[in-house]
Amino acid sequence: MGISFENLVTWPKYGFFKLECSLLTPLQQLKRIGLTIASLNQGCEEMKRHISAAHQETAPVLEEASELMKQKEQVEAKQQLLKAFNAHFIMSDDDIARLTSTAEPVNDKFFSLLARAKKIQNDCEILLGTENQRLGLEIMEQTSKNLNGAFQKLYRWIQREFKSLNLENPQISSAIRRALRVLAERPSLFQNCLDFFAEAREHILSDAFYTALTGTSATGEEDTSVKPIELVAHDPLRYVGDMLAWTHSATVSEREALEVLFISDGDEIAKGIQAGRDSEPWNRISDENEASDFDGLKALNELVDRDVAGVARVLRQRIGQVIQSHEETIMAYKIANLLNFYRVTFSKLLGEDSVLLESLTTLEESALRQFRILMRDHVAGLQAETHAAPPDLGPPDFLQDGLKQLTAIMKTYETSFVSLNSREADFQPILAEAFDPFMNGSEAIAKDLEAPASSIFAINCLLAARNILAPFDFNGERLLEIRGNIEQYSASLVDHQYSFFRNSSALQPLLQALTSLSDTKEDLESIRTLDTFQPDALTLASQTLDNFLPSALMDAMENLKDLQSSKLAREITEEAADKFCDDFEQVEEKLIAADELLEEVDNGSAPEPLRALFPRTSAEIRVLLS
C-alpha cells in the first residue's frame, strides 16, 4: 500500500515536512514529497517482505502448538476418565486387604467394601457390552476373586463367632444376623454355617439333657444346682413327664432364640439366597426339586429340630426302656396318652416333619402296643379261669375290676388332644381291648343261667357298664348299643312277669280256652260248655284271682329283686301288668257277651250268669295292679 500526500501531511510524525515545504518553492516541494513517498513505499514493501517471511517461518510452529494444545486437552480428559474409572472399578490394595484378609475385622467398613465389590461386579456387565471386552473380563475376574475371598472370610468369621457364642443362651447378635443375611448370597456357605451351628447346639443340648437326667456333666463333674430327673425313675409317669417337659422347655427356648433371625430377617435371607441362585446358574439343576422360595418358618423349624436331634435320640431310648420294663396296663396307657399330648404340642411347635415328632410318634405307638399286649394277657388269664354269677346276680368281680380300669383309662383319654370329630372313633380300639372282652365274658356267664336270672344278670352287667361309660361324651354309640341290649333283655323280663301274672292269677286256662273262639253267637254260646267255664271251675278261678290280687305287685317285684335298678324293675312289672289287664279285659268282654246272649233266650230255667261266678272287673284289676 502506497502513502498518499494527504496521509503524509496529516501525520503528526511528518510535521517537520510541513515546515520544510514552507521554505521551498512549490516545485522543490513536490520533488521532495515525491522522493519521500517513494522512500516510504520502499520501506513499506520491505516491511511486508519481512512480515511475510516471519509468517512463513512461524506458521508451522503455531500449527504444532495448536495440535499440542488439542492433545493436551485429550490427555487431560483421558486422565479424568481413567481416574473416574479407577475410582469406580478398581479397589485399592488396602481395601482388598480389608475385604479378604482374615486379620482385618468384620465391621461396617467390611460390609461397605463388600457392597462396593458387588456393585463393581454388576457394573462389569456394561463393560462386557463394549467392543473391547478384555478389560471387563479382567476386572470381573479380579472382582469375583475378591468377592469369593470376602465371603470365605465372612464364613470363617461367623464360625468363630458361633464358637464363642453363649450357647447356653444362644441369642444371636445383630452383627451375626447381618453377616448371615449377607452370607445367604452364597447358599452353600450359608447352609454350612447353619450345619455348624446345629451340630454345636446338638452337642450342647445333649450334654445339658444328660446333666438334667443324672446331675452330672458329660465330663463327670457333679452339678449341685440340678435335681436329677433320674431320682423319680421309680415313678414311670413322672419320669417320662419330666423328660418330656425338659425337652419342650429346651425346644421353646431354642426357637425363641433363633426366631428373630428366620422370622424378622427372613425376607432379607430369602432375597440373598435367590440372588445367590441367580449368580450361580450351574447350581439350579440340583435345586430343581427344591422350593424356589425361602420359607423362614420352615427353615427355623428344621434348624430347631436338628438342634434337639441328640435329645430326641436319648429320649427315645429312655422312654422306650420305661415302656418295655413296666407291665402295668393303666401305666402303659397313661404313658401313651402323655406322649400323645407332647406329640400334638411339638407338631404345633416344629411342624409335622421333624425327627423329634417322629420319635414321639414311634414311642406313642410302642406304648399303645404294650397296653394292648398287657390287656390281652390279662383277658387271656381271666378266660382261663372259671367264673360264675354271684348269688345276687350282680356284676362279677372281673367285670368290676375291668370297669374300674376302664374308668382310669377314660379319665386319661378325656384330657388328651384329640379332635372332637374323631374323638369317639379314636376311642373305639381302646374299648375293643379294655371293655368288650369283659362284657363278652359276662354274656357267656348269662347264657349258662336259667330265665329270668340270665336276663337279670345281663341287665345288671349292662347297667354297671352304662354307669361307667355315661359320664364321658366319647361313648355315645356304645351307650346306644348298651341301651338296645338292656331293652332286649327287659322285654324278656316283661314276658316272664306277664307269664307270672297269668299263671298265678288262674287267668291262663281261661285265656287258652277263649283263644280259638270268635264273637259269633255260636262261639259265645259254646263258652258255657267249656270245662274251664263250668261253675265249680270258674268259681275256683275267681277265688284264686282274689287271693292273688292283694299281693300281686309285691310278688311280681320279688321276682326282680336282684335287678339293681328298682326303677327298671318297676317299669318292667308295670308293662307286664298292663298286658295282663288287657288280657283280663278280653276275658271279661267274652263273659259279658255270653251272659247278654243268655238273657235274650231266657226261658225261666237259665243257668247262673258267668259274671256272677267271676265278678271281678277290669277296672278293679287295673286299680289293684297300679
Side-chain angles (χ1 to χ4, degrees), residues 424-496:
E424 185 164 347
D426 291 346
F427 193 64
Q428 294 307 309
I430 303 300
L431 289 176
E433 299 289 346
F435 176 71
D436 291 346
F438 297 97
M439 295 305 296
N440 293 338
S442 300
E443 185 177 350
I445 295 176
K447 291 180 180 179
D448 295 335
L449 299 176
E450 299 291 336
S454 60
S455 296
I456 292 175
F457 175 75
I459 290 177
N460 285 340
C461 293
L462 290 169
L463 289 174
R466 185 187 68 180
N467 293 337
I468 293 298
L469 297 178
F472 303 95
D473 58 2
F474 44 83
N475 294 318
E477 292 184 3
R478 193 55 64 97
L479 287 172
L480 289 176
E481 181 182 338
I482 290 176
R483 179 180 178 182
N485 291 335
I486 291 177
E487 290 176 353
Q488 181 180 351
Y489 286 114
S490 296
S492 176
L493 290 179
V494 169
D495 292 340
H496 179 270

Side-chain angles (χ1 to χ4, degrees), residues 67-360:
E67 185 66 25
L68 290 175
M69 291 297 294
K70 291 181 180 179
Q71 291 180 2
K72 178 183 178 184
E73 291 177 356
Q74 292 176 355
V75 169
E76 289 177 350
K78 289 181 178 179
Q79 285 179 340
Q80 292 178 357
L81 179 60
L82 179 60
K83 182 178 180 181
F85 182 87
N86 289 336
H88 186 81
F89 285 98
I90 305 299
M91 300 181 69
S92 66
D93 293 341
D94 291 340
D95 288 345
I96 293 175
R98 292 191 184 96
L99 188 63
T100 60
S101 175
T102 56
E104 297 291 335
V106 175
N107 50 21
D108 292 341
K109 181 64 176 177
F110 169 83
F111 290 109
S112 175
L113 292 173
L114 183 62
R116 183 188 171 195
K118 289 190 290 184
K119 188 175 188 328
I120 291 174
Q121 187 181 48
N122 293 333
D123 291 345
C124 281
E125 296 178 2
I126 301 175
L127 297 178
L128 295 176
T130 63
E131 295 181 358
N132 186 5
Q133 297 183 353
R134 180 178 177 182
L135 178 61
L137 290 173
E138 290 180 353
I139 295 176
M140 179 171 281
E141 181 181 357
Q142 182 62 38
T143 305
S144 298
K145 181 179 179 181
N146 294 337
L147 280 174
N148 290 334
F151 280 113
Q152 287 292 335
K153 171 185 176 180
L154 189 61
Y155 168 65
R156 294 187 180 90
W157 179 83
I158 292 175
Q159 285 189 318
R160 287 197 303 271
E161 290 298 311
F162 277 158
K163 289 180 180 179
S164 62
L165 186 66
N166 180 12
L167 293 176
E168 297 297 333
N169 184 22
Q171 296 293 335
I172 297 181
S173 65
S174 58
I176 298 179
R177 287 165 48 200
R178 181 183 183 184
L180 286 172
R181 289 198 302 269
V182 174
L183 192 64
E185 296 180 22
R186 292 293 186 272
S188 58
L189 296 180
F190 177 76
Q191 187 60 48
N192 288 341
C193 278
L194 295 185
D195 293 343
F196 178 84
F197 178 81
E199 184 178 355
R201 284 301 298 161
E202 180 182 351
H203 287 304
I204 291 295
L205 289 175
S206 297
D207 292 344
F209 189 44
Y210 179 80
T211 301
L213 287 172
T214 62
T216 305
S217 66
T219 59
E221 298 179 1
E222 185 177 355
D223 190 345
T224 58
S225 64
V226 175
K227 183 179 180 181
I229 297 177
E230 288 183 344
L231 291 179
V232 296
H234 62 280
D235 184 348
L237 192 62
R238 182 179 174 185
Y239 180 49
V240 173
D242 286 353
M243 287 191 290
L244 290 171
W246 189 96
T247 305
H248 178 259
S249 176
T251 304
V252 170
S253 299
E254 198 76 7
R255 183 184 176 86
E256 289 176 351
L258 300 175
E259 199 168 35
V260 67
L261 172 64
F262 289 95
I263 303 303
S264 301
D265 301 336
D267 293 340
E268 295 296 328
I269 293 176
K271 292 178 182 178
I273 290 177
Q274 187 59 46
R277 289 174 177 171
D278 294 340
S279 64
E280 299 176 355
W282 52 85
N283 288 331
R284 293 178 186 173
I285 297 177
S286 62
D287 295 339
E288 285 181 354
N289 297 327
E290 299 179 3
S292 58
D293 296 331
F294 175 78
D295 188 342
L297 181 59
K298 181 180 179 181
L300 171 63
N301 291 341
E302 290 177 352
L303 182 58
V304 174
D305 185 51
R306 293 177 60 188
D307 292 350
V308 298
V311 175
R313 288 192 295 270
V314 177
L315 197 67
R316 186 170 182 171
Q317 179 185 9
R318 294 264 181 159
I319 296 180
Q321 291 175 348
V322 172
I323 293 173
Q324 296 301 323
S325 61
H326 288 81
E327 297 184 354
E328 296 181 18
T329 307
I330 299 299
M331 183 59 65
Y333 184 76
K334 286 184 176 181
I335 291 176
N337 189 67
L338 183 62
L339 289 166
N340 172 266
F341 168 79
Y342 277 99
R343 178 180 61 78
V344 175
T345 302
F346 279 111
S347 67
K348 297 176 181 178
L349 194 63
L350 299 178
E352 296 295 335
D353 299 327
S354 70
V355 175
L356 180 57
L357 193 65
E358 180 183 352
S359 298
L360 293 179

Side-chain angles (χ1 to χ4, degrees), residues 549-616:
L549 287 175
S551 61
L553 279 180
M554 294 180 61
D555 293 341
M557 291 293 291
E558 183 67 18
N559 295 335
L560 304 180
K561 64 180 180 178
D562 291 328
L563 192 62
Q564 295 186 346
S565 173
S566 58
K567 178 182 177 182
L568 182 60
R570 184 170 62 255
E571 291 174 351
I572 291 172
T573 303
E574 289 175 353
E575 185 177 350
D578 287 341
K579 293 178 67 175
F580 173 76
C581 290
D582 292 340
D583 289 347
F584 187 88
E585 190 172 350
Q586 293 178 8
V587 173
E588 181 185 20
E589 290 175 353
K590 287 286 191 341
L591 294 180
I592 292 175
D595 287 342
E596 290 177 349
L597 186 62
L598 182 64
E599 292 176 358
E600 293 178 359
V601 295
D602 189 7
N603 55 11
S605 61
E608 187 176 2
L610 296 177
R611 291 294 291 154
L613 300 175
F614 200 79
R616 288 288 183 181

Side-chain angles (χ1 to χ4, degrees), residues 363-380:
L363 288 171
E364 181 184 358
E365 293 173 353
S366 176
L368 287 175
R369 185 166 54 252
Q370 180 73 356
F371 163 73
R372 288 191 291 269
I373 291 173
L374 293 174
M375 183 60 70
R376 289 170 185 172
D377 290 345
H378 179 61
V379 171

